[in-house]
Amino acid sequence: MSLDPALRSRIETLLQSNRVVLFMKGAPNAPQCGFSAKAAGALNALLPQGYAHVDVLADADLREGIKVYGEWPTIPQLYVDGQLVGGSDIVEQMAASGELHGLLGLPAPDRSPPRLSITPAAAKMLRDAVANAGEGYAVQLEVDPRYNVRLQLAPVDAAAIAVEVDGVRVQTDWMHARRADGVSIDWADDERGRGLVIVNPNAPPAVQPLTPAQARERVAAGSLRLVDVRPAEERALAQAGVAFDTFDAGTATLEALPKDTALAFLCHHGGRSAQAAEHFRQLGFSEVYNVVGGIDAWADIEPGIAKY
């Protein structure tokens, strides 16, 4: 199959203008297939400041054209310095070996095992689970970019980064090892529920409650940005008498703020704002608040605000 000259020119211009280009399904923060997610995950860890990407789902011509251009039949495809590196499996293999780091001019990955703490009760539960799975299994540890920890059973991988704690082999890879450093694993059968309790000290601090009075004082002092998550028609019924941001034009501008920006979220009663606050916490913002009671509670300190 020949490639249309105009399409070839588009591809070559894109590759010449960007050192690293990933042709994928979806976007790095919202991949639309598992293979694209794996390739983007490796690049996200290596290039947190970003890289060029193309969503082939949005351009059918480019989706087929890049396959012809690189003589590679599948998506995703990674190009570095105008040269095809490969698809998802190759990207993952090169990242694990450190070869991709070298290609991108980055230091070799830190393959030292993470420091883990497992209580005796949790260790017993995990040993029993591994024994029930049969010979040749271990506990696989994964920590996503938002520092959520996942444990599952997986076949022993001799090439993995592994640590043994109280007879439990826990294995992971270079991407997850540093995010897992210091993780503690306990087994609970109390008011916390019944099951494993995992604490990751690397995760952003939890969302904190803030009273309307505290929020008003800090906004006035310039040490806090208030975000009213309600739509415009609802804000027209009642709104705080201080400066605030909204989601009217989307969340991208706020998400691009420095991660140490103090943010407080406000809605009608506190439910929607709690969800918004958690979203920003998981993006890595280190000081996130939810205004307790919402605009209804704010009306108690500003009598001119109507309750609805």
Side-chain angles (χ1 to χ4, degrees), residues 57-282:
L57 296 178
D59 191 325
D61 291 339
L62 196 56
R63 178 178 181 176
E64 298 307 316
I66 193 61
K67 297 176 184 178
V68 176
Y69 180 85
E71 299 181 355
W72 192 270
T74 58
I75 302 294
Q77 295 183 23
L78 173 64
Y79 282 77
V80 177
D81 293 325
Q83 300 299 312
L84 175 64
V85 174
S88 173
D89 289 345
I90 291 177
V91 170
E92 282 198 304
Q93 291 166 9
M94 290 179 65
S97 69
E99 188 178 354
L100 186 58
H101 296 67
L103 181 63
L104 296 173
L106 301 171
D110 181 356
R111 294 185 57 83
S112 57
R115 294 175 295 108
L116 302 178
S117 172
I118 305 178
T119 65
K124 181 180 186 306
M125 177 272 169
L126 292 172
R127 286 196 304 269
D128 290 346
V130 170
N132 290 335
E135 189 175 352
Y137 277 83
V139 176
Q140 184 77 27
L141 181 151
E142 297 177 356
V143 185
D144 69 22
R146 297 181 176 183
Y147 294 95
N148 298 308
V149 179
R150 179 187 180 195
L151 298 177
Q152 61 183 340
L153 298 181
V156 170
D157 181 357
I161 297 172
V163 59
E164 185 163 320
V165 181
D166 199 3
V168 179
R169 175 188 168 91
V170 181
Q171 61 186 29
T172 185
D173 62 26
W174 68 274
M175 280 195 298
H176 301 99
R178 300 287 63 80
R179 298 176 191 153
D181 212 24
V183 161
S184 64
I185 305 171
D186 191 9
W187 173 261
D189 190 3
D190 50 31
E191 67 277 1
R192 294 173 294 176
R194 188 171 191 273
L196 292 174
V197 177
I198 303 173
V199 177
N200 188 345
N202 305 302
V207 174
Q208 298 296 315
L210 200 65
T211 67
Q214 291 170 327
R216 182 173 66 173
E217 181 180 349
R218 289 197 55 179
V219 171
S223 64
L224 179 75
R225 291 183 71 152
L226 180 67
V227 184
D228 193 327
V229 306
R230 298 173 299 155
E233 59 271 19
E234 191 176 346
R235 295 198 308 272
L237 301 175
Q239 65 181 39
V242 296
F244 58 84
D245 293 285
T246 72
F247 287 164
D248 291 354
T251 61
T253 299
L254 288 167
E255 290 174 352
L257 290 171
K259 293 300 189 288
D260 60 354
T261 303
L263 297 173
F265 295 85
L266 175 74
C267 68
H268 190 189
H269 295 119
R272 285 171 290 172
S273 55
Q275 294 177 359
E278 179 61 21
H279 169 74
F280 277 79
R281 185 196 74 82
Q282 292 199 14

Side-chain angles (χ1 to χ4, degrees), residues 22-25 33 35-37 39-40 72 74-78 86-88:
L22 179 66
F23 293 86
M24 63 179 296
K25 296 178 180 179
C33 80
F35 297 110
S36 290
W72 192 270
T74 58
I75 302 294
Q77 295 183 23
L78 173 64
S88 173

